[in-house]
């Protein structure tokens, strides 16, 4: 019989045995073989590309989210202006022209009109007590409130004092002392604000309360013992106005000296 050479048979079977088989069991030729480490390198490259894309998408989304967060925060800050404390301050500002109109209504000496004017003044003073407390307690302090609140306080008090002096119920020198002190201390606060803030003292709060009571009593058409009492209440208000004003001036001088000394010390440390 014709035999097949053993070497050829062995080569053929060896070739079949040497070829790697895929999942289907078919043998792959040399051209289909994957170089060592090739699959691992391609897998790492693909994973790196995927992670880089995810990072870029995250950065983009994070940037958009950051901008959105800033816009949302700005909207919240803008909306926070319309809080209860600021609304009370706005109400007090609106009460100033209403008070003047009522105070001067029907010649300025009508007891009924003066009673309505007193009611407007009383509401303004009461809101002055509440708006600051609400702003500090519930964290409703805003830049608008910091500016508008003292303006509203001085506007209603100044309007009442000027109307009373114009009607002859209160000497002009009293109005000049009270308003001069209020405006002077306000300017002084702005001058020394670079060194610090002058806190409101108990004397200042008592002064404000006494002024409100005294002016309110003068707004009403009082006679007899009540008219005498309001004179002494106003005298006490004037004394407190002067004393607390001098105390604020003293605090401002001390605060300015401390601020200058601290700056000089910091400058020396920097130079050293």
């Amino acid at each position: 019989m014709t035999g097949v050479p053993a070497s050829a048979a062995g080569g053929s079977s060896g070739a079949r045995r040497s070829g790697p088989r895929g999942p289907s069991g078919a043998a792959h030729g040399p051209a289909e073989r994957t170089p060592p480490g090739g699959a691992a390198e391609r897998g790492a490259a693909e994973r790196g590309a995927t992670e880089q894309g995810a990072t870029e998408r995250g950065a983009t989304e994070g940037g958009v989210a950051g901008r959105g967060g800033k816009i949302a925060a700005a909207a919240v800050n803008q909306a926070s202006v319309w809080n209860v404390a600021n609304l009370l301050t706005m109400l007090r500002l609106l009460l100033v022209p209403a008070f003047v109109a009522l105070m001067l209504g029907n010649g300025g000496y009508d007891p009924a009109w003066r009673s309505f004017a007193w009611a407007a003044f009383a509401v303004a003073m009461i809101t002055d007590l509440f708006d600051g407390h609400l702003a500090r307690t519930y964290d409703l302090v805003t830049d608008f409130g910091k500016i508008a609140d003292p303006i509203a306080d001085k506007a209603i008090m100044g309007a009442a004092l000027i109307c009373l002096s114009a009607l002859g119920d209160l000497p002009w020198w009293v109005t000049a002392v009270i308003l001069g002190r209020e405006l002077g201390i306000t300017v002084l606060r702005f001058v020394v604000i670079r060194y610090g803030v002058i806190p409101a003292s108990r004397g200042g709060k008592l002064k404000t309360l006494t002024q409100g009571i005294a002016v309110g009593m003068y707004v009403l058409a009082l006679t007899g013992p009540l008219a005498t009492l309001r004179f002494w209440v106003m005298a006490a208000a004037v004394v407190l106005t002067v004393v607390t004003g001098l105390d604020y001036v003293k605090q401002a001088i001390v605060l300015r000296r401390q601020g200058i000394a601290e700056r000089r010390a910091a400058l020396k440390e920097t130079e050293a």
Side-chain angles (χ1 to χ4, degrees):
M1 68 180 179
T2 304
V4 180
S7 60
S12 176
S13 61
R16 285 195 297 271
R17 284 193 303 268
S18 63
R21 297 182 179 272
S24 60
H28 298 285
E32 295 177 353
R33 292 176 184 173
T34 303
E41 292 176 358
R42 284 200 301 272
E46 290 174 358
R47 286 195 300 271
T50 303
E51 292 175 357
Q52 182 179 1
T55 303
E56 293 176 354
R57 286 195 301 273
T60 304
E61 293 173 356
V64 173
R67 290 194 296 271
K70 292 180 180 179
I71 295 173
V76 170
N77 292 333
Q78 185 177 4
S80 65
V81 174
W82 300 96
N83 58 55
V84 177
N86 287 344
L87 289 176
L88 290 176
T89 301
M90 294 177 193
L91 174 63
R92 196 157 69 256
L93 287 170
L94 294 175
L95 284 173
V96 174
F99 167 81
V100 174
L102 293 170
M103 187 71 182
L104 302 178
N106 199 19
Y109 298 100
D110 190 324
W113 284 88
R114 295 283 285 261
S115 298
F116 290 129
W118 176 86
F121 181 80
V123 171
M125 296 305 295
I126 291 173
T127 57
D128 180 30
L129 296 176
F130 281 103
D131 61 355
H133 175 72
L134 290 173
R136 291 186 297 270
T137 303
Y138 297 101
D139 194 19
L140 301 176
V141 178
T142 61
D143 292 336
F144 172 80
K146 293 177 183 178
I147 298 174
D149 183 68
I151 292 176
D153 298 342
K154 291 167 180 56
I156 189 66
M157 183 60 69
L161 291 170
I162 292 173
C163 286
L164 289 171
S165 295
L167 293 172
D169 294 338
L170 191 68
W172 276 106
W173 70 267
V174 175
T175 297
V177 168
I178 294 177
L179 292 185
R181 184 268 188 196
E182 299 299 331
L183 294 176
I185 295 302
T186 300
V187 173
L188 187 62
R189 286 178 181 273
F190 281 108
V191 170
V192 301
I193 197 171
R194 69 181 68 178
Y195 305 109
V197 178
I198 303 176
S201 62
R202 292 183 179 180
K205 295 178 180 179
L206 180 60
K207 177 269 306 177
T208 302
L209 178 61
T210 308
Q211 282 183 359
I213 295 174
V215 171
M217 294 180 72
Y218 268 87
V219 169
L220 289 172
L222 300 178
T223 58
L226 290 177
T228 303
L229 178 61
R230 72 182 182 182
F231 169 82
W232 292 108
V233 176
M234 181 60 75
V238 172
V239 171
L240 287 172
T241 298
V242 174
V243 172
T244 55
L246 294 176
D247 181 62
Y248 276 121
V249 172
K250 178 182 177 181
Q251 291 186 49
I253 293 174
V254 172
L255 187 63
R256 181 176 181 274
R257 289 177 178 175
Q258 291 178 349
I260 293 175
E262 290 175 357
R263 288 189 177 184
R264 288 178 178 175
L267 183 61
K268 289 180 180 180
E269 291 180 359
T270 303
E271 292 177 351

